[in-house]
Amino acid sequence: MAIEMLYFAWVRERMGRAAETVTPPSTVATVAQLVDWLAARDADSGTALADRARLRAAVDQAFVAMDAPIAGAREVALFPPVTGG
Amino acid sequence: MAIEMLYFAWVRERMGRAAETVTPPSTVATVAQLVDWLAARDADSGTALADRARLRAAVDQAFVAMDAPIAGAREVALFPPVTGG
Amino acid sequence: MIRVVVHPAPIAIDAELARVEAAPGAGAIATFTGLVRADDGVGTLELEHYPGATEAALTRLAEAATARWSLGAATIVHRVGPMAPGERIVFVATAAPHRAAALEACTFLIDRLKTDAPFWKRETRDGESRWVEARDTDDAAAARWRDGA
Amino acid sequence: MIRVVVHPAPIAIDAELARVEAAPGAGAIATFTGLVRADDGVGTLELEHYPGATEAALTRLAEAATARWSLGAATIVHRVGPMAPGERIVFVATAAPHRAAALEACTFLIDRLKTDAPFWKRETRDGESRWVEARDTDDAAAARWRDGA
């Protein structure tokens, strides 16, 4: 199923894009697996997503842990820890 | 020695004056004794100062307890608990 | 930068905030504003104070907060005289490099002001005028800042 | 009365305060303002956010604070895009009948905003541009509001 990926801050810069539509295989069930799958696509994505400890995620605009399921997700965002305020 | 008395809020209203200069005898050594002496002067002062539990005092503009000494004081203020802010 | 004002004129927050925001190192500004509540039957409020002693007490509080939280600015503006529902009675503002210091110092100032500064409120409610009684909760709030708490 | 604004325009505190002060039952107003600090070598700051999700996160925080402290008003205004030293990044205001609720709710909102709302700061310092790192102290400050603490 197609997922709209969004990237913010240095994730966006390192990915070289702010958004993309991806269609991972059905074996990709969690956010962490989605990150692994994206990182394995090409060297640039692999480098951009290498620092897993500093990656955070939202599924359909709700902050989630990396082991959260993505079944039925329409939008997944990846970004660094937030620094607003 | 002459002391400038100041009264605020309902103490002022009940005393019927905002300020007065008094010269208590040297046996009056604390704020509490000063209040007793003032209250004994006349019936109006006695009524005005009757509610001792709700009286507060300042000596030379510093908040003090009722057993504080008044030796050398130039200004003594009597008032209810404060209610600002 | 300490600023203490006790005055019968309406409190202009704009100008006060601009001063506080201009303090050296100001990254965080906390403010507290007390209003005459408009909805509980109070017609007018009148604030009496102890001229001289009030300003001195507020200055001591601002100095204590500045020392304890390394503030860049501490401002206390307190209105006196008659005022109407919805109007501002008191405005407190603090500036610090970081938010915890600004927010804690602001809370300290308004808590301690309630018990340590000689002001007295008289309110007209349902046509009757009376002096407002002190609240035990104010003593409790002020007490938690003592003895280095 | 909840108001959430995420916008590139400078934050006009005046108009925001007037709204909060007009809330029903407002006797106490607390505010927090975050500024781009002018004195530590930061040239410009740029705020990125997650459109839609940011506003939703701030609205959830304002709703939580309103329920927990029975607020008459909760306002969060956050600037995004480029800004200069001394300018306001964020403004939070709360209105309640009494001061403890207003002050606590204001602290809650800015603490939780720091960890729960998707904003990212990029600053230019001494000519070099970099993304600001999250601070552990922000996680600690936000954590103390969880589980009914």
Side-chain angles (χ1 to χ4, degrees), chain D residues 57-76:
Chain D
L58 297 181
T59 301
R60 278 195 301 274
L61 285 182
E63 286 170 349
T66 296
R68 181 164 172 176
W69 284 279
S70 302
L71 302 180
T75 290
I76 305 174

Side-chain angles (χ1 to χ4, degrees), chain A residues 19-81:
Chain A
E20 64 178 323
T21 303
V22 301
T23 310
S26 60
T27 52
V28 170
T30 68
V31 174
Q33 289 166 357
L34 177 62
V35 172
D36 289 342
W37 178 77
L38 290 165
R41 288 182 310 177
D42 56 71
D44 285 353
S45 296
T47 306
L49 301 173
D51 192 355
R52 305 288 162 90
R54 290 167 68 223
L55 277 188
R56 299 291 181 274
V59 171
D60 288 332
Q61 306 207 343
F63 284 25
V64 296
M66 281 293 161
D67 61 358
I70 57 167
R74 280 172 301 182
E75 180 178 299
V76 175
L78 297 176
F79 44 79

Side-chain angles (χ1 to χ4, degrees), chain D residues 17-112:
Chain D
L17 258 186
R19 276 194 192 89
V20 172
E21 290 186 355
I29 316 291
T31 77
F32 177 83
T33 307
L35 304 180
V36 184
R37 282 213 294 284
D39 64 345
D40 61 354
V42 174
T44 60
L45 190 73
E46 179 139 9
L47 254 293
E48 179 168 333
H49 76 300
Y50 182 169
T54 304
E55 291 83 348
L58 297 181
T59 301
R60 278 195 301 274
L61 285 182
E63 286 170 349
T66 296
R68 181 164 172 176
W69 284 279
S70 302
L71 302 180
T75 290
I76 305 174
V77 184
H78 207 297
R79 193 164 170 196
V80 290
M83 54 202 86
E87 290 196 298
R88 296 162 184 153
I89 306 168
V90 62
F91 174 76
V92 170
T94 55
H98 298 290
R99 72 185 185 284
L103 286 159
E104 281 180 31
C106 184
T107 303
F108 164 89
L109 285 174
I110 187 66
D111 279 351
R112 290 285 298 270

Side-chain angles (χ1 to χ4, degrees), chain C:
Chain C
M1 210 179 65
I2 286 167
R3 180 174 154 81
V4 166
V5 181
V6 179
H7 202 75
I11 300 173
I13 286 184
D14 242 23
E16 297 301 340
L17 258 187
R19 276 194 193 89
V20 172
E21 290 187 355
I29 316 290
T31 76
F32 177 83
T33 307
L35 304 179
V36 185
R37 283 213 293 283
D39 64 345
D40 61 354
V42 175
T44 61
L45 190 73
E46 180 140 9
L47 255 293
E48 180 169 333
H49 77 301
Y50 182 169
T54 303
E55 291 83 348
L58 297 181
T59 301
R60 277 196 302 274
L61 286 181
E63 286 170 349
T66 296
R68 183 164 171 175
W69 285 279
S70 302
L71 302 179
T75 290
I76 305 174
V77 184
H78 206 297
R79 193 164 170 196
V80 290
M83 55 201 87
E87 290 196 298
R88 295 161 186 156
I89 306 168
V90 62
F91 174 76
V92 171
T94 54
H98 297 290
R99 73 185 185 282
L103 286 159
E104 281 181 31
C106 184
T107 303
F108 165 89
L109 286 174
I110 187 65
D111 279 352
R112 289 286 297 271
L113 183 155
K114 291 263 180 183
T115 58
D116 291 18
F119 290 103
W120 300 273
K121 279 179 187 157
R122 185 187 185 100
E123 64 184 23
T124 305
R125 189 189 287 269
D126 304 324
E128 265 195 65
S129 175
R130 63 175 190 87
W131 293 98
V132 174
E133 292 285 329
R135 301 195 312 163
D136 290 343
T137 55
D138 287 335
D139 286 332
R144 77 189 166 97
W145 296 107
R146 296 185 206 281
D147 308 320

